[in-house]
Amino acid sequence: MVMIVWMAIATITALIFIVESGKANRNAATELVLSKAWSNRFSGQALREKKEEYLRKQEKYQTDSPKKIAKKVKEWDKQIALYEKNDEIYRSGQRFSVLDSIPLFGYQVLADIKMDGNNDILRRLTASCEHTGYIQLERDQETGEKKNSSIYAYYLLASLISYCVVGVILSCLLGVLTTAMGNEGAAVMMVMAVGFAGPAIYGYLPYDNLKVKAARRQEQLDQSFPNSISKITLLVIAGMNISKAIEETANSDNSLMNQELRMVLKEMNNARTLQEAFTRIQCRCDNRYLDKMITVITKSYKDGNLKLEDDLKEINDECWLDKKHNVRRMSESIQNKLFIPTMLMFIGILVVIVVPAMAGFNL
């Protein structure tokens, strides 16, 4: 009886999956292929960043032998080249397999429930896409539209839904096969759980990786911005013009904020205005003190600002005060998290000491 129920669930779910996937329009397929190309490009960029970080650490600490370093770099270069090749293949429309079409089900489900950019989940995911630092996911500089980031967010959500449903189908089929082989109870449930978890995790990983990257980048930005604004403020107070102050600060170290400032300088050298270059930073970075700094500097460029030094100093003071509060909150959070492990250790020590003592006393 249980086998029949699982087979019925698998069959009905599979039919719904096929029908819904077939209803997806051409626009969904186009966005899917484009997102697959971006996915390969982002994977290649992430691996390239990992390689560069590894080489910087080896140059500084020299923990691995030259032979091991060369072997790792060669493997990474090979994988990066494969990601770049797949990016070109998807972008040219030369590949669209049955497995690639799985997210079409999720696209149609999202269309059926009329999920758009006003939905909280999709809006937050779109914001995470923008703040990953990937150039392809930035807002359109002329219109301010979030077209690319919305497309990729829709793809990630559609993939997650689709692979979870595939997991349900696979789980039921494995349950039928395992039961037919004579197994029952916990053994069957374990196999079914694995069958569901495999596809579900595969669909969730790109979603989670993007959110983690955006959160990590936001944390790095929040940590590095106070140092950058302090240097800019100090140089401006010392009499240096703002352009030179930004340049000196950008080249002072390799923090995320200074990397972004170097991109501003690079774009200004490529005939972009300061306002255009700063607009791109605001698309990639979410920091209210950065927004204030950009407003003050842009105003200084356009209309002149005799109070530039005071304005920068005010932003600097607010920024450092906020950072102190964040550090204090973080320390309190860590203390709260350590309370339970500390109590468990204390109880364990009491057990180790008291139990033998009581046993000896009873003797």
Side-chain angles (χ1 to χ4, degrees):
M1 182 63 182
V2 175
M3 289 177 59
I4 296 175
V5 172
W6 285 338
M7 182 59 76
I9 293 173
T11 303
I12 293 171
T13 307
L15 288 174
I16 294 173
F17 188 91
I18 293 170
V19 171
E20 285 291 292
S21 298
K23 288 166 61 179
N25 57 35
R26 184 181 294 272
N27 187 52
T30 302
E31 291 185 359
L32 172 57
V33 173
L34 181 60
S35 296
K36 292 287 288 186
W38 283 340
S39 179
N40 280 279
R41 179 173 296 190
F42 300 156
S43 297
Q45 182 176 329
L47 194 55
R48 193 177 296 110
E49 291 172 357
K50 181 179 179 181
K51 182 185 79 170
E52 292 171 355
E53 180 64 22
Y54 172 76
L55 291 175
R56 278 197 297 269
K57 288 183 178 179
Q58 290 306 315
E59 184 179 357
K60 185 175 182 180
Y61 301 110
Q62 298 180 351
T63 56
D64 293 339
S65 65
K67 185 176 180 180
K68 186 175 180 180
I69 294 173
K71 183 179 179 180
K72 277 191 173 183
V73 170
K74 184 178 179 180
E75 291 174 354
W76 283 334
D77 286 339
K78 184 178 180 180
Q79 189 64 44
I80 291 170
L82 180 61
Y83 283 132
E84 291 176 346
K85 181 180 178 181
N86 288 335
D87 176 26
E88 293 177 3
I89 290 174
Y90 278 111
R91 196 172 293 277
S92 62
Q94 297 177 19
R95 177 185 296 174
F96 192 71
S97 64
V98 174
L99 291 177
D100 291 332
S101 67
I102 288 177
L104 286 176
F105 171 80
Y107 275 94
Q108 188 57 39
V109 169
L110 293 175
D112 289 342
I113 63 177
K114 294 181 171 55
M115 181 177 283
D116 55 21
N118 295 323
N119 180 272
D120 287 340
I121 296 175
L122 196 58
R123 187 169 64 249
R124 287 196 297 267
L125 186 56
T126 300
S128 295
C129 289
E130 292 177 4
H131 300 148
T132 54
Y134 296 135
I135 296 175
Q136 290 75 16
L137 301 184
E138 293 178 11
R139 297 184 191 180
D140 187 281
Q141 291 189 40
E142 294 182 359
T143 64
E145 292 183 356
K146 306 178 180 181
K147 185 176 180 181
N148 288 355
S149 53
S150 296
I151 289 174
Y152 198 65
Y154 217 77
Y155 160 73
L156 292 174
L157 205 54
S159 295
L160 177 58
I161 293 171
S162 298
Y163 281 104
C164 283
V165 173
V166 169
V168 171
I169 298 171
L170 182 60
S171 175
C172 292
L173 291 177
L174 289 176
V176 172
L177 292 175
T178 308
T179 304
M181 292 170 62
N183 296 302
E184 58 183 23
V188 176
M189 298 305 295
M190 182 67 70
V191 172
M192 292 181 68
V194 172
F196 173 77
I201 291 174
Y202 183 80
Y204 179 73
L205 280 177
Y207 178 96
D208 183 65
N209 288 340
L210 182 133
K211 296 200 74 170
V212 168
K213 179 175 176 60
R216 186 184 300 121
R217 194 170 183 275
Q218 182 66 46
E219 183 179 351
Q220 292 174 349
L221 181 69
D222 292 341
Q223 289 177 349
S224 60
F225 181 76
N227 293 325
S228 298
I229 186 64
S230 292
K231 291 177 182 177
I232 292 174
T233 303
L234 182 63
L235 292 173
V236 170
I237 291 175
M240 188 177 291
N241 68 64
I242 188 64
S243 297
K244 188 64 177 176
I246 292 175
E247 182 178 354
E248 289 292 328
T249 302
N251 295 323
S252 62
D253 60 48
N254 202 43
S255 66
L256 178 59
M257 188 63 238
N258 288 347
Q259 291 178 31
E260 293 292 338
L261 291 177
R262 285 200 290 272
M263 290 188 68
V264 168
L265 296 171
K266 182 179 179 181
E267 290 173 359
M268 289 176 65
N269 291 333
N270 291 333
R272 289 187 182 273
T273 66
L274 179 73
Q275 189 170 4
E276 289 174 341
F278 272 144
T279 298
R280 292 194 63 185
I281 267 201
Q282 288 178 300
C283 293
R284 294 190 299 268
C285 306
D286 181 22
N287 186 288
R288 59 195 177 101
Y289 298 111
L290 174 62
D291 293 340
K292 287 184 178 181
M293 184 190 78
I294 290 173
T295 301
V296 167
I297 294 176
T298 303
K299 180 181 177 183
S300 176
Y301 258 82
K302 291 174 63 177
D303 307 322
N305 185 1
L306 299 177
K307 296 176 60 179
L308 177 61
E309 299 175 6
D310 295 334
D311 290 341
L312 290 175
K313 190 175 184 303
E314 182 180 349
I315 295 171
N316 179 61
D317 293 341
E318 290 179 7
C319 181
W320 277 102
L321 183 61
D322 190 40
K323 184 173 183 178
K324 290 177 183 177
H325 290 324
N326 288 335
V327 171
R328 186 179 297 110
R329 284 192 292 267
M330 190 180 298
S331 65
E332 291 173 354
S333 175
I334 293 173
Q335 289 176 2
N336 292 334
K337 290 179 181 178
L338 289 175
F339 176 75
I340 294 177
T342 303
M343 291 302 298
L344 291 175
M345 290 176 61
F346 179 69
I347 294 172
I349 292 171
L350 286 179
V351 170
V352 170
I353 296 174
V354 173
V355 171
M358 294 298 294
F361 179 77
N362 290 332
L363 291 176

